């Protein structure tokens, strides 16, 4: 669990996130989703031994070791300095550089292309729209864990990665996340749309009021009764013939 000013933010919960899968964290505002991600990333401290990462207590890893194995996409994307887009993405390589300058530049370019932001490379970050900034920040975290490391599997921790993105790029973002999971990377993403979870996630953890309500395969967990319990909305599970069900909300 985690506490702030003697207030419990998260109740004790038992969760495991495996590499090679896309794990979604779902729940209403204030449920504890971002708190959980901050604990997993070590942005916020947790009791010693409460969280393990690649077989060791999370606290046992150095900051530089963690920087090579996991990258964090926060909700906000503001920067106070007039960086070029390529410079912002290159920030992700600060603790991960393994190659020559030309090889590092190639990684930055490849990450921008993967996130659909290569056309923004020469732009000032401060002049971008919210959606464009989100795609550049996605490229930054991809660049950070671009290369494999001997110390264990890599992870992407994404806090609302589809926020500020239009419909097409929401799906492009999650298709990209699935591609990285297929490469053996663990992806943990805070999402708000249960239909995106049904379409892309391998597992889902549903939080509400700081507690874990359910964890498992999305099609088994995201049933209408749970949607009503968590959000107070009526839902019906439908099948469009694609093999992936979707929820109609009323």
């Amino acid at each position: 669990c985690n506490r702030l000013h003697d207030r419990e933010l998260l109740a004790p919960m038992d969760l495991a996130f495996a590499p090679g899968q896309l794990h979604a964290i779902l729940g209403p505002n204030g449920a504890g989703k971002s708190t959980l991600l901050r604990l997993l990333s070590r942005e916020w401290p947790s009791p010693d031994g409460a969280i393990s990462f690649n077989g060791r207590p999370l606290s046992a890893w150095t900051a530089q070791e963690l920087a090579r194995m996991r990258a964090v996409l926060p909700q906000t994307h503001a920067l106070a300095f007039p960086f070029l887009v390529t410079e912002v993405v290159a920030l992700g390589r600060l603790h991960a550089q393994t190659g020559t300058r030309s090889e590092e530049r190639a990684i930055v370019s490849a990450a921008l292309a993967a996130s659909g932001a290569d056309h923004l490379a020469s732009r000032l970050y401060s002049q971008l729209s919210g959606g464009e900034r989100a795609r550049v920040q996605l490229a930054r975290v991809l660049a950070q864990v671009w290369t494999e490391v001997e110390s264990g599997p890599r992870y992407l921790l994404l806090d609302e990665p589809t926020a500020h993105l239009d419909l097409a790029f929401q799906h492009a973002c999650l298709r990209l996340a699935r591609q990285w999971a297929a490469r053996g990377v663990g992806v943990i993403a805070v999402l708000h749309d249960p239909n995106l979870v049904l379409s892309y996630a391998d597992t889902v953890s549903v939080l509400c009021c700081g507690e874990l309500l359910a964890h498992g395969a999305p099609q088994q967990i995201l049933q209408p009764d749970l949607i009503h319990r968590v959000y107070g909305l009526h839902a019906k599970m439908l099948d469009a013939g694609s093999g992936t069900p979707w929820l109609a909300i009323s």
Side-chain angles (χ1 to χ4, degrees):
C1 66
N2 192 71
R3 305 183 70 87
L4 181 65
H5 304 310
D6 291 327
R7 182 171 67 92
E8 187 174 75
L9 300 179
L10 280 181
M13 58 185 68
D14 186 7
L15 283 173
F17 302 102
Q21 293 189 336
L22 197 166
H23 309 267
I25 301 173
L26 187 72
N29 293 335
K33 303 182 299 297
S34 294
T35 297
L36 177 58
L37 214 63
R38 288 175 178 135
L39 291 169
L40 295 175
S41 68
R42 212 173 72 179
E43 178 184 344
W44 284 5
S46 61
D48 286 342
I51 301 176
S52 63
F53 180 72
N54 285 347
R56 289 169 54 188
L58 184 62
S59 58
W61 296 96
T62 68
Q64 185 168 356
E65 287 173 330
L66 284 177
R68 292 174 178 269
M69 293 188 296
R70 64 97 182 93
V72 183
L73 179 71
Q75 287 185 26
T76 57
H77 308 127
L79 281 176
F81 302 101
F83 288 135
L84 293 173
V85 163
T86 51
E87 293 173 325
V88 173
V89 179
L91 290 174
R93 299 295 301 166
L94 285 178
H95 296 289
Q97 294 183 20
T98 56
T100 64
R101 285 187 179 182
S102 61
E103 289 171 337
E104 292 296 322
R105 285 196 296 268
I107 289 175
V108 169
S109 296
L112 280 167
S115 68
D118 46 340
H119 63 291
L120 303 171
S122 60
R123 297 272 303 276
L124 279 173
Y125 181 82
S126 58
Q127 295 177 353
L128 302 182
S129 70
E132 290 171 333
R133 291 185 184 190
R135 285 148 60 187
V136 171
Q137 290 292 340
L138 179 60
R140 176 187 61 77
V141 298
L142 294 180
Q144 183 175 333
V145 294
W146 195 267
T147 52
E148 294 183 4
V149 291
E150 295 182 356
S151 45
R154 295 159 292 161
Y155 283 82
L156 289 167
L157 278 59
L158 313 177
D159 198 352
E160 299 188 26
T162 57
H164 308 294
L165 296 179
D166 63 34
L167 182 62
F169 270 105
Q170 287 182 28
H171 287 272
C173 172
L174 292 177
R175 283 195 298 269
L176 182 60
R178 286 219 56 85
Q179 291 169 10
W180 276 71
R183 294 167 55 180
V185 175
V187 182
I188 304 172
V190 171
L191 297 173
H192 277 290
D193 187 340
N195 283 314
L196 289 178
V197 175
L198 285 166
S199 295
Y200 293 101
D202 295 296
T203 59
V204 60
S205 301
V206 181
L207 303 185
C208 189
C209 301
E211 296 186 353
L212 177 66
L213 294 188
H215 175 82
Q219 294 186 24
Q220 297 175 357
I221 298 299
L222 300 182
Q223 293 295 316
D225 57 343
L226 182 135
I227 297 298
H228 185 265
R229 178 183 174 189
V230 173
Y231 297 101
L233 297 172
H234 296 285
K236 183 178 182 180
M237 188 73 79
L238 302 175
D239 187 352
S242 62
T244 300
W246 59 283
L247 287 163
I249 307 295
S250 61

